Structures are given as C-alpha cells and as structure tokens.
C-alpha cells in the first residue's frame, strides 16, 4: 500500500497510526505547491485535482 502525505498536514495521521499498528506501507511526500511527489511524479496523475483524498481511496487506487 502506498500512502501520500505532506509534512505537517493531517494526512500524516494515518501514517502514524499504521506505523504504531505495525502495518507495512510505502510513503511518498507531496509538495502541494508544485504538485510533485518526492520521486518527481506529477501528483495530478494520482489524484485529478492534485489534492489529498481520503487515504484509503489513494491506497486502493495504487
């Protein structure tokens, strides 16, 4: 499962909960100003508006 987050945003809460539960997942940072992920991918290819959706939706889509 791959989850996206922006540092200091509420999207980080899911990651903290999963880590505490011992679940395995991938993380990818997103710059919300440039709409680019940490690996350089255009975030609008993940979510059309380039905004965070509920984490479960993004994880299932990937």
């Amino acid at each position: 499962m791959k989850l996206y987050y922006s540092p200091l945003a509420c999207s980080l809460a899911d990651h903290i909960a999963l880590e505490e539960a011992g679940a395995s997942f991938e993380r990818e940072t997103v710059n919300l100003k440039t709409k680019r992920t940490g690996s350089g991918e255009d975030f609008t290819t993940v979510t059309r508006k380039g905004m965070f959706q509920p984490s479960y939706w993004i994880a299932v889509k990937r």
Side-chain angles (χ1 to χ4, degrees), residues 6 25 46:
S6 182
F25 63 97
V46 177

Side-chain angles (χ1 to χ4, degrees), residues 1 8-9 11 14 17 19-20 26 34 37 43 47 51 53:
M1 172 172 28
L8 304 176
S11 54
D14 296 341
E19 197 153 310
E20 289 292 319
E26 293 178 62
T34 63
T37 67
F43 192 54
T47 177
M51 299 171 68
Q53 304 294 321

Side-chain angles (χ1 to χ4, degrees), residues 4-39:
Y4 296 87
Y5 73 99
S6 182
L8 304 176
C10 63
S11 54
L12 190 55
D14 296 341
H15 301 232
I16 294 168
L18 286 169
E19 197 153 310
E20 289 292 319
S24 65
F25 63 97
E26 293 178 62
R27 294 173 231 211
E28 182 91 39
T29 59
V30 177
N31 182 321
L32 294 177
K33 289 182 181 179
T34 63
K35 307 293 187 205
R36 291 274 178 206
T37 67
S39 63

